[in-house]
Amino acid sequence: MQIDYRDHYVSTRGREQNITASQAIIAGLAKDGGLYVPSFIRNCHFDIQSLMSKTYSELAQTLFEAFLDDFSPEQIKVCVHGAYQTGLFDDAKCPVKVQKAKDRYFLELYHGPTCAFKDMALTILPHFMTKAVDIQNVNREIIILTATSGDTGKAALSGFCDVPGIDIIVYYPKDGVSAVQEKQMLTQGGKNTCVVGVRGNFDDTQNGVKKIFSDQALNAKLEDQGFLLSSANSINIGRLLPQVVYYYYSYCELVRNDAIQCGDPVNFVVPTGNFGDILAGYYAALTGLPVHRLICASNANRVLTDFFETGEYNRNRDFYKTMSPSMDILISSNLERLLYDVSKDTDQVSDWMATLQEDGHYTIPEAIKAKTRKIFWGGCADETQTAQTIADMFKKHHYLIDPHTAVASHVYDEYLKNTADETTTVVLSTASPYKFANHVYRSIFGEIPEGLNDFDVLSALSAATDTAVPKPLADLANRPNRHNQVCSVNEMDRSLQDFLTRIKA
Ligand SMILES: *Cc1c(COP(=O)(O)O)cnc(C)c1O
């Protein structure tokens, strides 16, 4: 493998260059408003055959040594061990599972402490952050500021809980997450955690967080108080890199199980919201993984489906609340990283993002669109199709999937109808069906029996499907709430300051 470290990480908007991994992880977002990208990625190549005998942790070690340019192999080892080998995941040997159902493989990414794929990255990000703080000799307290559409919040709270030198505040759309997701967050322990419901949808919440990051006066004031803001959202490169690992791992699993020969191309279908997970798949493809298609699956909020079809990104449209809330997103932040890679033009990227901010839409030229369509294919599922897919997968194939995964599985059906492509395909399974037990139960069995509350449904689903409620969700209903704050979008900075005052006290 050859790596060209000359340019390290750069901002997609071109005003920052030569940033190292530790600097990018601490900063989260670039100062020019852009996202950090590894400028050396096209010089980075992994030989699949040489990865075949590696465990998940060994594979992670190899990839991180290439990407984390100023971390030592020993530091990386400590991070990987802390995340994947200390019993946080169901199986201490491997955090993910590959299962075949129907004619496709499901890559189950939800066997971590909060039952969603966000755990894959958020169990290791706190370790990256702690090491990055050492490398950069930061002597301020890090404040992790996070907007969540449901799953990131809990996974980040769980990952950063009681980590010395770091505090975390999570904002979520008050009526935009599932009952289980909300309860998971509100019951979070730890002296360094804070959870705030925001009156608005996810995009409002994410914009509120971005505003706090770019508020110079507020940031100066925080610096005086000894604080430094950072992010656990997928805009942080430290979130993205751990997601590259499981694309490689699932490929190696398919080879080991004789589903494919080493070197054969595969497709990945990815239930997409902020475009982080699927972008990690793109990075895997750029660095040598034989990927034929990355199939981008959206729910009724089909802004990305339209983008790949027409080349116009347009957020001026109705916003739908669906049963796959982690994908109820009209501004997919990580798309900016793809635009950077296909255009290689930071002025263009800056223009598009400015136009998006001002007018709510932008259009990429035909040549750029053609480049994206070489590998990406976009599709979507409405609520009826999602429910039908959950029911079919269980009734015909005895496999229980959550609504996000069902969106992806439906989009793969559409893809097959449209293309007749016979490439072996992996569907990324991003959440435990028990996180969305209400919808899953209703999709398969019809109305929920009277008198059952949101948490009783977990046991009902377990009994009806003969599957187990995951441990982290089993006694959730009985845990006391520890957070109860609600605010408007304009009050988000105020609640941050209140939290910091409490921490200082
Ligand atoms: C976050 C999330 C997604 C979307 O992932 P992105 O990286 O935001 O595209 C899909 N499914 C579930 C369950 C999630 O939590």
Side-chain angles (χ1 to χ4, degrees):
M1 175 187 32
Q2 300 166 335
I3 304 166
D4 183 348
Y5 280 139
R6 262 172 319 182
D7 294 321
H8 298 276
Y9 286 81
V10 298
S11 164
T12 48
R13 305 209 187 158
R15 304 280 162 78
E16 276 186 72
Q17 270 138 23
N18 249 321
I19 302 291
T20 66
S22 65
Q23 290 171 324
I25 287 169
I26 291 170
L29 196 66
K31 286 187 206 67
D32 60 8
L35 307 184
Y36 292 117
V37 285
S39 65
F40 50 85
I41 191 151
R42 283 173 185 273
N43 301 322
C44 204
H45 186 88
F46 304 102
D47 170 38
I48 299 288
Q49 192 65 54
S50 73
L51 303 177
M52 213 44 79
S53 62
K54 292 190 190 294
T55 64
Y56 194 91
S57 293
E58 289 166 349
L59 187 57
Q61 178 83 24
T62 303
L63 301 197
F64 295 153
E65 282 183 18
F67 281 109
L68 299 176
D69 48 16
D70 60 345
F71 283 56
S72 71
E74 291 70 33
Q75 286 173 321
I76 291 171
K77 198 158 193 174
V78 172
C79 295
V80 170
H81 179 86
Y84 303 133
Q85 293 168 293
T86 55
L88 290 174
F89 290 83
D90 288 354
D91 180 348
K93 284 205 268 328
C94 180
V96 305
K97 287 193 177 75
V98 180
Q99 306 265 13
K100 186 168 190 191
K102 203 173 171 180
D103 53 355
R104 59 208 66 179
Y105 293 86
F106 287 84
L107 171 57
E108 295 180 353
L109 302 170
Y110 56 77
H111 296 290
T114 78
C115 305
F117 97 96
K118 303 292 196 289
D119 287 327
M120 297 307 302
L122 282 164
T123 50
I124 199 162
L125 182 64
H127 296 282
F128 287 165
M129 192 73 78
T130 307
K131 291 283 178 276
V133 163
D134 286 349
I135 294 167
Q136 292 297 325
N137 263 316
V138 175
N139 50 18
R140 285 188 272 160
E141 182 117 347
I142 305 272
I143 310 297
I144 303 288
L145 202 60
T146 291
T148 183
S149 54
D151 290 331
T152 296
K154 179 61 186 185
L157 288 162
S158 159
F160 283 101
C161 174
D162 291 332
V163 173
I166 306 182
D167 309 293
I168 173 164
I169 181 165
V170 168
Y171 298 96
Y172 72 98
K174 179 74 187 100
D175 298 315
V177 303
S178 84
V180 171
Q181 287 177 319
E182 184 174 43
K183 186 77 180 171
Q184 280 187 299
M185 289 191 277
L186 297 183
T187 54
Q188 176 65 46
K191 283 202 231 14
N192 65 339
T193 63
C194 179
V195 180
V196 182
V198 176
R199 287 183 220 102
N201 64 31
F202 174 70
D203 290 313
D204 301 328
T205 309
Q206 176 156 267
N207 276 333
V209 164
K210 282 185 186 163
K211 232 167 80 191
I212 295 176
F213 273 115
S214 58
D215 183 337
Q216 304 286 340
L218 176 63
N219 278 273
K221 187 173 157 195
L222 293 177
E223 184 170 346
D224 283 346
Q225 298 174 329
F227 293 117
L228 177 64
L229 294 183
S230 185
S231 163
N233 277 103
S234 57
I235 53 174
N236 194 315
I237 196 76
R239 265 285 298 280
L240 211 56
L241 301 177
Q243 299 177 354
V244 179
V245 180
Y246 50 71
Y247 283 90
Y248 275 96
Y249 185 82
S250 60
Y251 186 93
C252 294
E253 273 290 286
L254 292 185
V255 176
R256 286 190 288 258
N257 294 330
D258 290 327
I260 54 170
Q261 303 263 303
C262 190
D264 286 351
V266 294
N267 298 324
F268 290 94
V269 193
V270 189
T272 296
N274 232 346
F275 209 73
D277 200 3
I278 195 165
L279 188 85
Y282 183 66
Y283 281 3
L286 288 183
T287 53
L289 191 69
V291 178
H292 176 56
R293 276 282 142 71
L294 291 167
I295 300 168
C296 176
S298 302
N299 62 23
N301 297 295
R302 47 174 289 170
V303 62
L304 288 166
T305 314
D306 295 339
F307 171 74
F308 285 117
E309 198 168 305
T310 67
E312 186 195 38
Y313 192 98
N314 191 344
R315 66 153 303 191
N316 297 326
R317 59 176 72 211
D318 290 336
F319 174 83
Y320 300 104
K321 279 208 296 199
T322 72
M323 66 172 110
S324 47
S326 298
M327 299 157 71
D328 290 347
I329 289 177
L330 294 180
I331 302 178
S332 299
S333 304
N334 279 294
L335 188 64
E336 183 169 344
R337 288 188 161 115
L338 174 67
L339 295 175
Y340 169 86
D341 189 79
V342 289
S343 75
K344 290 285 183 301
D345 184 339
T346 53
D347 290 335
Q348 275 234 291
V349 173
S350 304
D351 278 353
W352 291 326
M353 292 304 126
T355 316
L356 178 65
Q357 182 79 24
E358 281 151 33
D359 308 332
H361 63 101
Y362 62 88
T363 304
I364 58 172
E366 201 56 44
I368 304 281
K369 184 180 119 186
K371 269 194 187 173
T372 67
R373 284 171 62 118
K374 269 201 193 141
I375 183 159
F376 288 95
W377 193 92
C380 59
D382 64 24
E383 293 290 270
T384 311
Q385 291 163 332
T386 306
Q388 188 64 48
T389 304
I390 294 172
D392 279 358
M393 281 310 291
F394 184 72
K395 289 180 181 163
K396 295 188 191 146
H397 307 282
H398 308 289
Y399 188 58
L400 198 60
I401 55 176
D402 96 293
H404 302 77
T405 309
V407 166
S409 199
H410 173 80
V411 168
Y412 181 53
D413 291 332
E414 298 278 311
Y415 175 79
L416 285 177
K417 269 188 233 155
N418 274 277
T419 62
D421 173 18
E422 289 177 359
T423 306
T424 303
T425 295
V426 178
V427 176
L428 274 64
S429 180
T430 49
S432 161
Y434 282 91
K435 267 197 113 160
F436 305 92
N438 267 331
H439 291 295
V440 172
Y441 187 98
R442 223 178 278 129
S443 301
I444 303 171
F445 303 106
E447 275 320 299
I448 288 165
E450 224 165 295
L452 297 193
N453 69 27
D454 286 333
F455 300 98
D456 299 333
V457 178
L458 276 73
S459 331
L461 183 65
S462 171
T465 59
D466 199 19
T467 59
V469 181
K471 263 198 240 97
L473 301 179
D475 68 337
L476 193 58
N478 305 323
R479 267 178 254 161
N481 287 0
R482 295 192 61 255
H483 306 270
N484 62 4
Q485 279 188 64
V486 179
C487 75
S488 68
V489 177
N490 294 328
E491 292 162 342
M492 286 170 64
D493 56 343
R494 178 79 246 158
S495 59
L496 169 64
Q497 300 208 34
D498 290 347
F499 172 50
L500 299 184
T501 307
R502 284 204 304 280
I503 283 174
K504 283 252 157 173

